[in-house]
Amino acid sequence: ITALVTMARYTAAIALLGAAAASAFAPSDVAVQLPLASSKILAGRPNQISKHTAKALLGARGGFTALKSEAALTAKGESSGGVLKTRGGGGLGSIDFPLLVYFVLWYVGNYFYNLTNKRALKAAGGAAGFPMTISSLQLGIGCLYGLFLWVAPDARKAPKVTMDDIIKMVPLAFCYAGAHSASVFSFSAGSVSFGQIVKAAEPAFAAVLSQFVYGKKVSKAKWLCLPIIIGGVVLASVNELDFAVSALVSACIANLFAAIRGNENKKLMETEGLKDRIGSVGNQFALTSILGFLFSIPFVILKEGSRWGEFVDILKTSSAVKMNLVASALWYYGYNELSTMTLKKTSPVTQSVANTAKRVIVIVGVALVLGESLDPMKLVGCGIGIGGVFLYSIIDNLVKSKED
């Protein structure tokens, strides 16, 4: 409980810093928007926070702008779909605490997923154990949760997709399952911190695919950021005690699948009427998870199917495998849905800050708890790599602002 409270406090502070950084990088005449919490979670409650609470969160020093009164918010009937707006060089105009809770839950969920996932993999034998089976079951358990929300009263309205819609989702779901399975392989073969550092290089894969496969031009400024990212990963690998070629290759494969998934998701969302038929971001993630789980089953049978009896015995006798498997599956589904719902409506700059902060928390936090190496060279490489990813995300805005 103490660890959760401490993590929540630090993550709330990071979320506020993220909003401040978004304001700093935004052009002075452009508003940066942050979404507030889902109205489904806070149904019937207007988004409101007292001036005293806001001042306690932000500090009373310069840049604070008076908030709308609670009466005004209630009278206007503002739902939790409102936004937090900041302007470059200005103060924070309006804050809803539930948004910060969203970021906290996203970060905490990601942190505990990595922790419980590694413990489940270790207890099941590590790289020589059952990484494919565990990754598939994580998707399967998450699917059960998604299906439960569809059948539970007043929880979530089921999507009304057609078979044609399902067929169009196949590439996205396959890449989703591939990215997850490859990531689990990487974490089973090496340290979580090393796997996360390599996964931070995903923009390099995304740039190549966007430019040469999907025909979407990548700016010269972004290309110039890639050597920084790759150089950081190389530095972090130099003195890695748990370095394994299989961990590096698996993380790179995960990056490739993740980059394809991002492009396929954009294509899918351009399909006319699909958003209305799916109904919500939560439904989209649930459908992707169900299809991804079905795609993973043949690979489980091919790679570890002959040892299924051995895995069942471990599952029966080892509470560490059983508890951490279920926990990691629920954390994985929960934090992914939260991140999708939160980032879908935030500004690109805010997304960059949020993702950068998330990786730092996971890399350092999990390494400390699991006793993984954090030598100076690894930390320097981590800083350079993640800094390069952040620069890659905002460089076009910086260049455009300078030109303007």
Side-chain angles (χ1 to χ4, degrees):
I1 293 173
T2 303
L4 281 171
V5 171
T6 304
M7 178 66 73
R9 288 175 177 171
Y10 280 110
T11 315
I14 290 172
L16 283 173
L17 289 174
S23 174
F25 282 109
S28 59
D29 59 340
V30 177
V32 177
Q33 295 187 339
L34 283 169
L36 298 182
S38 167
S39 57
K40 296 216 172 191
I41 292 180
L42 296 172
R45 299 181 187 177
N47 288 324
Q48 53 193 27
I49 183 169
S50 69
K51 295 181 182 180
H52 299 294
T53 305
K55 285 182 180 180
L57 288 171
L58 300 174
R61 298 185 68 177
F64 181 77
T65 306
L67 300 172
K68 297 178 181 178
S69 67
E70 294 181 5
L73 284 171
T74 307
K76 291 179 71 175
E78 292 186 6
S79 70
S80 53
V83 294
L84 163 68
K85 293 184 178 180
T86 65
R87 294 185 181 274
L92 296 176
S94 159
I95 291 183
D96 195 321
F97 185 72
L99 173 63
L100 299 183
V101 174
Y102 254 48
F103 275 100
V104 169
L105 292 176
W106 171 30
Y107 287 6
V108 170
N110 189 287
Y111 169 81
F112 278 105
Y113 160 68
N114 281 276
L115 199 61
T116 53
N117 177 58
K118 183 64 177 181
R119 285 173 174 168
L121 290 168
K122 267 187 169 183
F130 301 88
M132 188 67 219
T133 302
I134 288 175
S135 68
S136 180
L137 288 176
Q138 285 171 343
L139 296 180
I141 294 170
C143 291
L144 293 176
Y145 174 73
L147 291 171
F148 167 75
L149 291 180
W150 287 341
V151 298
D154 301 322
R156 179 181 290 164
K157 190 175 180 181
K160 298 179 179 179
V161 292
T162 63
M163 182 55 67
D164 187 50
D165 293 333
I166 297 296
I167 293 172
K168 289 179 179 178
M169 294 183 72
V170 165
L172 172 65
F174 181 79
C175 292
Y176 166 75
H180 177 61
S181 297
S183 296
V184 173
F185 269 108
S186 177
F187 297 148
S188 70
S191 66
V192 174
S193 55
F194 176 69
Q196 287 288 345
I197 293 170
V198 178
K199 286 184 67 180
E202 182 187 325
F205 294 82
V208 173
L209 284 170
S210 295
Q211 181 83 37
F212 300 107
V213 177
Y214 291 92
K216 296 179 180 179
K217 188 177 180 181
V218 177
S219 66
K220 291 181 180 178
K222 283 193 171 183
W223 282 112
L224 291 174
C225 293
L226 297 184
I228 301 174
I229 300 171
I230 296 170
V233 173
V234 171
L235 277 178
S237 307
V238 171
N239 292 330
E240 172 61 30
L241 298 179
D242 296 324
F243 178 80
V245 175
S246 57
L248 177 62
V249 172
S250 297
C252 289
I253 293 173
N255 283 341
L256 180 62
F257 275 121
I260 298 174
R261 181 187 65 191
N263 283 283
E264 288 296 328
N265 188 55
K266 290 178 183 177
K267 283 176 58 181
L268 183 68
M269 288 299 101
E270 292 171 0
T271 304
E272 186 177 355
L274 182 61
K275 286 184 180 180
D276 296 330
R277 291 191 292 274
I278 290 178
S280 67
V281 176
N283 281 346
Q284 179 189 345
F285 185 71
L287 286 170
T288 305
S289 296
I290 293 170
L291 291 174
F293 169 64
L294 295 176
F295 279 126
S296 69
I297 293 175
F299 293 95
V300 173
I301 296 173
L302 286 172
K303 191 174 188 305
E304 298 166 3
S306 60
R307 301 165 59 201
W308 175 253
E310 182 184 346
F311 177 76
V312 172
D313 290 338
I314 293 175
L315 203 60
K316 289 179 179 178
T317 57
S318 174
S319 60
V321 174
K322 190 185 308 179
M323 297 301 293
N324 284 295
L325 173 60
V326 174
S328 62
L330 294 176
W331 283 120
Y332 181 76
Y333 190 95
Y335 95 76
N336 269 289
E337 184 168 326
L338 274 170
S339 67
T340 304
M341 294 169 69
T342 305
L343 296 181
K344 193 175 181 68
K345 297 179 182 178
T346 55
S347 71
V349 175
T350 306
Q351 293 179 26
S352 303
V353 175
N355 276 309
T356 302
K358 179 204 72 175
R359 291 207 182 276
V360 172
I361 290 173
V362 171
I363 290 171
V364 176
V366 174
L368 291 175
V369 173
L370 296 178
E372 297 177 352
S373 65
L374 281 175
D375 64 272
M377 185 65 76
K378 184 174 182 177
L379 290 174
V380 170
C382 174
I384 293 174
I386 293 178
V389 171
F390 178 64
L391 182 61
Y392 177 92
S393 303
I394 66 170
I395 190 67
D396 284 345
N397 288 339
L398 294 177
V399 172
K400 185 178 179 181
S401 298
K402 188 175 181 180
E403 289 176 351
D404 292 342

